[in-house]
Amino acid sequence: MFPSLSRVPPPTDVLTFELSNKLKGRTEGLLSRLIKTNLRTRYVRDSPVFSEFLKAIESSCGDAATGAGYGEVLDETLLEAYRSTIPLTTYDSYEPFVAKFLEQPCKHDEVKDLFAPGLPYFIAVSSTTSTTSAKFFAKYRDPPGVSNPVSSLGGKTCSVYSLTYRQVVEVQGADAEILARFPVCLSSTGRTRMLNGIDIEKDSSTLNSTMPNNTSPVAVSHIRNYRSFLLMHALFALADAKLQVIHITFSTVLLDLVRYMEDEWDTLVGSIEKGELPDYEGLDHVREYLEPKFHPNLSRATELRTIGIATDNPGWLVKIWPELKTVICIASGIFAMVMPKMRHYLGPDVLVHSRGYGASECFVATVYDPYDLNLFKATHDDIVEYLDVSLEQTAASLVSAWNVVAGRRYEVVVTTRNGMWRHRLGDILEVVGFDPCDGTPILKFVERRNVAIRLTGSITSEKQLADAIFATQDTLGQVMEFTVVVDDRVMPRGFGYLVEVQGAVGPAPELACGKLREVLCLSNQGVRETFNLGTLGNPTIRILQPGTFSDFRKWKVALAETGVGQTKVPVVLWDPVVQQWMFERVIQEV
């Protein structure tokens, strides 16, 4: 849950001795429990990553991997062995083991206790934003007291969540009997199922239900078509004038929902008047569950027609829902770019709150200050270590939570209850300070580490690319969304920006490319040198037709078949098929 809607104390810059000891004790206690819980898993036993770790423990306490002498292992021994022998890990060491869940048949003896005791509740699949192939992560049932990233502020809520899945894993016993079934799905989907007890076996019995305070029936969450999924959430929300909260994954998805609502306004209002569901694609399998929950409402339809599509005036959504107080979504980092448009729709009085900071691998941090969209407090559910980006990228450069320095940037490295050990997330965070109450690091997201363009020997980061295009808005116009390709239409190659702007192009778009070059040179000495040497071409900007990025998300959801929730537009676009798809939607080059 959110800590409070009142102002929280500002982070302190330096840990006191007392807070440092408190944080260290809490962190080491959790790490010891995680090690003891997952020490005897197949991943630890069979992966070469852990060979030195096991040797260190066995030399003191016997064969801990098989249980002999396990009760003799001291916390100090476990922690020392962990810190001195466990290297940084990536998906490469994890993938051969998680792949066992996707084998046909999936044998119980092969996957039981694979990463943590027992079997997973679901397999999370990544959104493939920055990679061409999906990654998979085993997620086990939460122990009591785990942080809940899908929190609510109460009141009537349009909660936009998906329950669809890519496939079902069926675990077979020795006689080919099915011992367990669990879905392969987005992490947000699996978390929603776990927190609400919606096992896949219960899907048929929950299709007729509606979660407390939600405007949309559960059946809406089983719609796979991206556009229809959002429109049906919009329809049920529009029918309820008492809506107070909109809870959605990303700010960009909320923008898509509002745009679709504009496009289909007359159809949606007509449906509310007649009590008849629209004939949208992909509704056939849930129509029988939704129709009994949708009734004619002439007075509400008349009210909505009177309001109309007043999108030119600020606060249109508050005119539709006068009691709307809060929007909960991820709106930091790249997702902050659509905030001006969101704010236009919401008006000045609706509060926008973050959902917290997480990844497919684990949930990293909760909201610290609900009024700050990019300020997070590290959780105490898993272990977060900090890899100093200025040092050699080895385990020796890892910094514990009580030793990080405010103002410095670190890559997040996690050891989780789901069996990941010193796993690099690839996200760069800045330590803002520490919670003055318990010493926990307070963080803000900076950028993805592996999202960059290397041209003529210089590397340009995600943040540098984003800062440069945002600096052009006084000439180019309000940038809604963008992505960057290597523009090799002429030599030398350069940065090619594909941009969607709000409304008309700005007053002097011909100046935007020069501004891009100026800002990129200021932020990156390597880029400046290659421009001066003539080995890097001038940046280019191509304007995309309105709605391109919304169509991209719809297209990606259809291709992935994983459900709606984590579809993001990559800052750097490498996929040639997607590049061509974007190029076909260019309407102007500046």
Side-chain angles (χ1 to χ4, degrees):
M1 297 293 290
F2 292 113
S4 172
L5 289 186
S6 60
R7 284 292 181 182
V8 295
T12 181
D13 292 337
V14 180
L15 281 176
T16 64
F17 179 78
E18 179 183 3
L19 285 177
S20 179
N21 279 346
K22 181 185 294 186
L23 178 60
K24 181 179 180 180
R26 185 169 60 241
T27 303
E28 291 192 332
L30 172 60
L31 178 56
S32 178
R33 290 194 297 275
L34 290 181
I35 294 172
K36 289 177 179 178
T37 299
N38 294 336
L39 179 60
R40 287 173 283 185
T41 60
R42 294 177 64 92
Y43 182 41
V44 173
R45 186 178 69 204
D46 297 341
S47 173
V49 167
F50 302 98
S51 59
E52 295 302 314
F53 175 62
L54 294 177
K55 287 178 184 177
I57 296 175
E58 291 162 12
S59 66
S60 299
C61 308
D63 187 2
T66 59
Y70 179 69
E72 303 298 324
V73 181
L74 301 176
D75 288 356
E76 293 80 2
T77 301
L78 292 174
L79 296 176
E80 174 58 29
Y82 172 90
R83 292 190 174 113
S84 62
T85 64
I86 300 288
L88 297 176
T89 66
T90 64
Y91 191 70
D92 289 343
S93 66
Y94 183 87
E95 192 276 337
F97 292 87
V98 76
K100 294 179 181 295
F101 288 112
L102 306 179
E103 293 175 354
Q104 296 293 331
C106 175
K107 294 293 188 179
H108 183 261
D109 289 345
E110 292 291 319
V111 296
K112 182 177 181 293
D113 302 334
L114 192 57
F115 297 106
L119 294 172
Y121 184 82
F122 68 98
I123 304 294
V125 56
S126 69
S127 61
T128 68
T129 303
S130 55
T131 59
T132 56
S133 58
K135 296 179 179 180
F136 302 88
F137 304 98
K139 298 299 184 78
Y140 296 76
R141 284 188 181 271
D142 289 340
V146 168
S147 302
N148 178 7
V150 189
S151 304
S152 174
L153 296 180
K156 187 57 69 73
T157 301
C158 174
S159 186
V160 182
Y161 63 94
S162 172
L163 294 180
T164 61
Y165 43 82
R166 177 171 175 155
Q167 66 190 82
V168 174
V169 173
E170 294 188 336
V171 181
Q172 294 186 8
D175 297 325
E177 72 277 24
I178 303 301
L179 301 180
R181 300 175 75 248
F182 44 84
V184 178
C185 58
L186 295 175
S187 183
S188 57
T189 296
R191 293 285 303 167
T192 299
R193 284 183 172 276
M194 186 187 298
L195 291 168
N196 293 282
I198 308 177
D199 304 345
I200 56 173
E201 287 80 5
K202 297 179 181 178
D203 279 353
S204 59
S205 62
T206 58
L207 280 167
N208 287 306
S209 63
T210 302
M211 292 188 187
N213 287 329
N214 280 10
T215 54
S216 301
V218 170
V220 175
S221 66
H222 289 270
I223 299 171
R224 289 185 174 273
N225 181 283
Y226 181 73
R227 192 172 190 273
S228 300
F229 169 83
L230 293 181
L231 279 169
M232 292 307 293
H233 276 295
L235 176 65
F236 279 92
L238 282 172
D240 195 328
K242 300 293 185 181
L243 183 73
Q244 294 178 280
V245 180
I246 298 175
H247 194 171
I248 202 164
T249 48
F250 300 116
S251 57
T252 50
V253 178
L254 176 58
L255 198 61
D256 290 347
L257 184 148
V258 176
R259 283 171 166 171
Y260 291 157
M261 200 164 70
E262 289 180 77
D263 294 343
E264 296 288 329
W265 182 257
D266 290 339
T267 299
L268 295 170
V269 174
S271 292
I272 292 169
E273 178 181 4
K274 298 175 184 178
E276 298 175 358
L277 297 179
D279 189 23
Y280 292 140
E281 183 181 352
L283 300 189
D284 290 347
H285 67 298
V286 295
R287 186 174 290 274
E288 64 178 294
Y289 305 104
L290 295 176
E291 285 179 339
K293 295 182 175 296
F294 193 67
H295 309 289
N297 192 334
L298 177 59
S299 62
R300 178 59 176 163
T302 301
E303 183 180 331
L304 291 172
R305 283 201 179 95
T306 301
I307 296 168
I309 309 177
T311 53
D312 291 337
N313 300 319
W316 181 48
L317 297 185
V318 178
K319 294 181 177 67
I320 295 171
W321 296 295
E323 296 185 27
L324 180 63
K325 303 298 181 187
T326 309
V327 169
I328 305 171
C329 66
I330 295 171
S332 57
I334 293 301
F335 299 104
M337 73 181 97
V338 302
M339 279 303 297
K341 185 65 173 179
M342 271 185 58
R343 182 51 64 193
H344 173 80
Y345 283 130
L346 294 170
D349 297 326
V350 176
L351 299 176
V352 179
H353 293 258
S354 174
R355 285 167 52 99
Y357 164 60
S360 296
E361 292 88 336
C362 70
F363 186 60
V364 177
T366 60
V367 174
Y368 182 64
D369 183 348
Y371 296 92
D372 190 320
L373 294 173
N374 194 21
L375 202 61
F376 309 106
K377 178 178 178 177
T379 71
H380 298 292
D381 305 327
D382 297 303
I383 293 297
V384 178
E385 293 179 280
Y386 301 84
L387 182 62
D388 192 323
V389 297
S390 66
L391 301 178
E392 184 182 2
Q393 303 302 282
T394 66
S397 300
L398 284 170
V399 180
S400 298
W402 59 92
N403 287 324
V404 295
V405 177
R408 288 191 184 174
R409 293 182 176 181
Y410 302 87
E411 180 183 344
V412 178
V413 175
V414 296
T415 297
T416 73
R417 61 188 181 276
N418 290 305
M420 308 198 84
W421 296 66
R422 285 193 159 175
H423 182 85
R424 298 180 67 169
L425 286 190
D427 287 356
I428 305 298
L429 305 181
E430 181 178 319
V431 175
V432 177
F434 307 90
D435 185 337
C437 298
D438 62 11
T440 303
I442 306 301
L443 315 165
K444 71 175 181 180
F445 178 82
V446 177
E447 61 186 342
R448 287 284 295 168
R449 184 163 203 160
N450 60 349
V451 179
I453 288 183
R454 180 189 290 273
L455 280 175
T456 62
S458 62
I459 298 176
T460 308
S461 71
E462 172 186 293
K463 187 175 188 302
Q464 291 169 333
L465 293 169
D467 288 347
I469 194 64
F470 291 152
T472 69
Q473 294 186 104
D474 57 338
T475 60
L476 183 62
Q478 177 66 55
V479 175
M480 293 288 292
E481 297 186 68
F482 77 95
T483 190
V484 184
V485 300
V486 175
D487 192 344
D488 56 4
R489 292 175 295 170
V490 296
M491 298 303 289
R493 301 180 302 166
F495 302 103
Y497 280 81
L498 304 173
V499 177
E500 188 175 333
V501 299
Q502 177 180 332
V505 176
E510 68 278 2
L511 302 178
C513 290
K515 185 67 173 179
L516 265 182
R517 174 171 173 158
E518 175 188 342
V519 175
L520 286 168
C521 286
L522 287 172
S523 66
N524 190 317
Q525 181 179 352
V527 168
R528 180 169 66 251
E529 291 174 351
T530 53
F531 271 133
N532 292 337
L533 290 171
T535 57
L536 182 65
N538 284 323
T540 60
I541 300 174
R542 283 172 274 185
I543 307 295
L544 301 171
Q545 66 188 34
T548 293
F549 288 102
S550 175
D551 290 344
F552 170 80
R553 284 184 281 273
K554 177 183 176 183
W555 181 50
K556 285 286 286 183
V557 166
L559 285 177
E561 296 185 339
T562 52
V564 181
Q566 290 171 230
T567 303
K568 297 169 278 188
V569 178
V571 173
V572 179
L573 183 59
W574 297 107
D575 188 330
V577 174
V578 181
Q579 287 182 356
Q580 185 59 39
W581 187 91
M582 291 281 184
F583 297 155
E584 292 170 359
R585 287 156 178 79
V586 173
I587 58 174
Q588 179 182 350
E589 182 159 1
V590 302

